[in-house]
């Protein structure tokens, strides 16, 4: 009985620990992507690493990064970035849900296809956010910087995927039965 | 051939509730997000307080991680050759000599001004004090033009204060936490600043467009604007002190007057937050 109880506790704490690590990485990515770089117009084309990470983990580790966690991370993002509350949450929840439904297909694909899909998602979410912001402010937000940032985000996907795969290795080690 | 036996399901798995939560959870979260956006639009949520909780909690971390980047950006500015330094030195010496002349005449004019004020018994604007602080984060991306500062109400930074960098107005404080504050930049789509054209004293509103340039709105007809005129704050809002330089008119076309900000907003690492105390009584209700 004691053994069973211990085993059960291990699983719960293991799950929470993995989720905690993933959320920590996501928050660090969010804070890093908001650094004031002081390089002229670069402010408009900084890539959204958080979006890429959500996509990557929705494909590779859907059981670790669950929907409620994605929702609360989105709310945190909105509050931190000064966005209308719910915009990033909606975007990230949609990405997570959409990718989860196509996961069986995506997991079997080569990296190049994953990259193309990342590009499509980045542009679609950029367009969605542009629509929400324009409706929220009742004024058209310039679209060009949105697409420039989306192009940048799509371009850096391999760069982002590498450290995320290292995190996956750490998570896999932790997931071994004790 | 042996017929396939259907896999046995446990009691919990066979309940429709599990299937329902799996299928319904995304829809519920999506609905919740849309409701939140709508409630925020209707100002039915204390979003400002929630934002300040988040930025105050993360401020020490982002302040620490942004410091090396600020330093790096500044050291890049400092890297030059000896030859460039010599040329710079000559230019600065010439500028210094010129500024000395200006300084002398400014002192003379200030004395003259003071004596005229005494003669007329004019009540001048209260003295302005300011806090210099570092920009620790620039989180808005393409949609929101705002930055976070490493100073809050503990450093006497209050909501509505003007924020300046070297040459002119950068924005104003829209949220002030205990140790961090959020600046809405003048380039943001929601920024509206009451201004005057310095030469003609014509009043107008300077609107941000989420681009590097600003637009002058609500000008009286036949106000005689021309390229090169300077735009300064009018002080009409009660928050911003009057006569802070903002920009110069760079383009006048029918229905559009474009203003270029004087401050190099994207390249500023440090800013000054001005506490003019113009309507301290109005804000707090204490009238001296």
């Amino acid at each position: 009985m004691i053994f069973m109880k211990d085993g059960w506790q291990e699983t719960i704490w293991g799950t929470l620990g993995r989720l905690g690590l993933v959320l920590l990485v996501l928050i660090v990515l969010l804070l890093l992507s908001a650094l004031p770089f002081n390089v002229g117009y670069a402010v408009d084309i900084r890539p959204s690493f958080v979006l890429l990470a959500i996509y990557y983990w929705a494909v590779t580790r859907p059981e670790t990064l669950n929907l409620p966690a994605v929702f609360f991370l989105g709310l945190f993002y909105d509050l931190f970035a000064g966005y209308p509350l719910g915009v990033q949450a909606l975007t990230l929840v949609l990405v997570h849900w959409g990718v989860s439904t196509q996961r069986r297909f995506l997991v079997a694909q080569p990296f190049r296809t994953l990259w193309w899909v990342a590009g499509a998602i980045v542009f679609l979410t950029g367009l969605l956010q542009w629509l929400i912001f324009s409706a929220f402010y009742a004024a058209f937000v310039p679209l060009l910087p949105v697409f420039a940032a989306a192009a940048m985000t799509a371009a850096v996907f391999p760069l982002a995927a590498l450290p995320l795969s290292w995190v996956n290795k750490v998570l896999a080690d932790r997931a071994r039965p004790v | 051939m042996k017929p396939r036996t259907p896999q046995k399901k446990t009691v919990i798995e066979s309940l429709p509730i599990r299937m329902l939560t799996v299928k319904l959870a995304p829809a519920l979260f999506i609905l919740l997000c849309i409701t939140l956006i709508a409630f925020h639009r209707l100002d039915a949520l204390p979003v400002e307080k929630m934002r300040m909780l988040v930025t105050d909690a993360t401020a020490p971390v982002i302040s620490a991680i942004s410091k090396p980047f600020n330093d790096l950006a500044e050291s890049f500015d400092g890297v030059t050759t000896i030859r460039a330094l010599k040329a710079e030195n000559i230019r600065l010496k010439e500028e210094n000599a010129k500024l000395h002349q200006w300084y002398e005449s400014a002192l003379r004019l200030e004395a003259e001004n003071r004596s005229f004020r005494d003669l007329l018994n004019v009540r001048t604007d209260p003295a302005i004090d300011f806090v210099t602080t570092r920009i620790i984060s620039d989180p808005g991306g393409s949609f929101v033009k705002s930055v976070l500062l490493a100073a809050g109400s503990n450093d006497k930074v209050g909501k509505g204060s003007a924020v300046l960098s070297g040459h002119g107005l950068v924005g104003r404080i829209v949220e002030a936490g205990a140790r961090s504050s959020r600046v809405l930049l003048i380039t943001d789509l929601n920024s509206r600043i009451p201004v005057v054209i310095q030469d003609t004293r014509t009043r107008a509103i300077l609107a941000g467009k989420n681009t590097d340039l600003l637009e002058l709105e609500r000008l009286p007809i036949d106000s005689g604007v021309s390229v090169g005129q300077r735009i300064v704050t009018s002080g009409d809002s009660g928050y911003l002190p009057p006569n802070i330089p903002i920009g110069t008119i760079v383009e006048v076309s029918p229905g559009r007057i474009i203003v270029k900000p004087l401050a190099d907003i994207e390249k500023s690492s440090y800013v000054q937050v001005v506490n003019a105390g113009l309507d301290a009584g109005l804000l707090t209700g204490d009238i001296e």
Side-chain angles (χ1 to χ4, degrees):
Chain A
M1 289 302 277
I2 293 167
F3 175 75
M4 272 179 72
K5 197 180 164 195
D6 275 3
W8 179 77
Q9 277 186 338
E10 228 8 269
T11 324
I12 289 290
W13 289 118
T15 311
L16 283 181
R18 283 193 291 278
L19 178 63
L21 178 63
V22 165
L23 281 178
L24 187 71
V25 171
L26 284 166
I27 287 172
V28 169
L29 281 178
L30 171 58
L31 299 184
L32 283 178
S33 57
L35 281 175
F37 269 119
N38 310 317
V39 279
Y41 304 99
V43 68
D44 278 337
I45 54 161
R46 282 173 310 174
S48 172
F49 288 112
V50 174
L51 182 63
L52 292 179
I54 296 282
Y55 164 67
Y56 183 82
W57 276 324
V59 175
T60 58
R61 295 196 73 85
E63 71 287 353
T64 302
L65 188 66
N66 54 34
L67 203 59
V70 171
F71 171 74
F72 284 110
L73 180 85
L75 287 188
F76 180 84
Y77 196 139
D78 285 326
L79 292 172
F80 178 69
Y83 283 6
L85 194 64
V87 173
Q88 274 295 345
L90 178 68
T91 312
L92 298 182
V93 163
L94 278 174
V95 168
H96 187 273
W97 170 68
V99 171
S100 302
T101 58
Q102 303 303 318
R103 195 180 159 258
R104 272 157 199 258
F105 164 75
L106 287 169
V107 161
Q109 297 305 311
F111 185 77
R112 206 177 44 184
T113 314
L114 287 184
W115 192 358
W116 276 111
V117 176
I121 288 175
V122 161
F123 272 92
L124 284 175
T125 51
L127 198 62
L128 173 75
Q129 291 192 344
W130 177 80
L131 281 171
I132 299 175
F133 269 93
S134 297
F136 193 88
Y137 293 150
F140 285 112
V141 182
L143 190 57
L144 195 66
V146 180
F147 279 156
M152 191 67 173
T153 308
V156 300
F157 179 64
L159 272 180
L162 192 67
L164 293 176
S165 69
W166 298 339
V167 178
N168 270 3
K169 275 185 191 148
V170 176
L171 291 172
D173 289 346
R174 295 279 156 81
R176 274 187 205 136
V178 185
Chain B
M1 205 172 140
K2 209 172 155 187
R4 276 178 66 186
T5 48
Q7 276 187 334
K8 273 189 182 173
K9 283 185 176 177
T10 61
V11 181
I12 292 177
E13 275 173 342
S14 60
L15 283 176
I17 191 142
R18 188 175 152 71
M19 198 196 74
L20 275 179
T21 49
V22 170
K23 295 263 177 201
L24 276 183
L28 281 177
F29 277 114
I30 289 165
L31 201 66
L32 188 57
C33 291
I34 295 170
T35 315
L36 281 175
I37 298 171
F39 272 60
H40 185 182
R41 184 75 185 86
L42 299 169
D43 279 336
L45 294 169
V47 177
E48 204 176 296
K49 276 186 188 157
M50 290 153 77
R51 278 184 188 161
M52 275 346 288
L53 278 177
V54 166
T55 42
D56 261 358
T58 48
V61 182
I62 42 179
S63 181
I65 57 177
S66 67
K67 188 79 176 80
F69 286 91
N70 280 150
D71 293 348
L72 194 71
E74 267 170 31
S75 61
F76 264 120
D77 281 347
V79 177
T80 44
T81 59
I82 295 282
R83 205 185 154 87
L85 276 179
K86 274 184 184 163
E88 174 97 357
N89 204 16
I90 292 168
R91 193 183 61 78
L92 284 175
K93 272 183 183 161
E94 282 171 4
E95 194 174 311
N96 201 22
K98 226 181 269 173
L99 286 175
H100 258 296
Q101 289 176 0
W102 276 107
Y103 177 67
E104 293 300 328
S105 69
L107 281 183
R108 191 173 47 76
L109 286 171
E110 193 189 356
E112 196 180 78
N113 205 343
R114 202 181 305 132
S115 67
F116 283 152
R117 276 182 183 155
D118 285 346
L119 279 175
L120 292 168
N121 229 349
V122 175
R123 222 186 125 210
T124 54
D125 292 334
I128 288 172
D129 71 0
F130 61 85
V131 183
T132 302
T133 181
R134 194 158 58 86
I135 296 176
I136 52 171
S137 186
D138 178 0
S142 332
F143 295 109
V144 177
K145 300 290 168 193
S146 70
V147 291
L148 299 179
L149 303 182
S153 52
N154 288 353
D155 313 283
K156 293 181 183 165
V157 167
K159 193 178 163 182
S161 308
V163 181
L164 316 180
S165 86
H167 303 286
L169 188 75
V170 170
R172 65 195 163 83
I173 304 282
V174 283
E175 288 155 18
R179 55 192 170 192
S180 66
S181 49
R182 190 185 299 272
V183 181
L184 186 77
L185 298 177
I186 52 173
T187 47
D188 188 272
L189 200 64
N190 287 312
S191 169
R192 300 282 181 281
I193 311 270
V195 294
V196 290
I197 299 172
Q198 203 170 31
D199 308 346
T200 59
R201 306 307 293 175
T202 312
R203 283 167 201 278
I205 297 286
L206 193 62
K209 294 284 163 193
N210 266 18
T211 61
D212 299 325
L213 300 170
L214 312 162
E215 259 185 63
L216 214 51
E217 293 177 350
R218 320 229 167 222
L219 266 173
I221 304 165
D222 300 332
S223 42
V225 285
S226 59
V227 171
Q229 283 176 322
R230 272 164 70 93
I231 307 292
V232 298
T233 54
S234 70
D236 284 344
S237 61
Y239 279 124
L240 301 177
N243 297 319
I244 297 178
I246 303 183
T248 47
I249 297 177
V250 289
E251 189 191 322
V252 180
S253 55
R256 249 163 79 96
I257 299 158
I258 308 287
V259 174
K260 190 174 187 293
L262 290 169
D264 200 350
I265 294 166
E266 311 290 8
K267 283 188 181 169
S268 314
S269 293
Y270 286 86
V271 290
Q272 283 97 41
V273 184
V274 178
N275 288 317
L278 282 181
D279 64 351
L282 281 177
L283 284 173
T284 56
D286 302 328
I287 296 163
E288 287 172 31

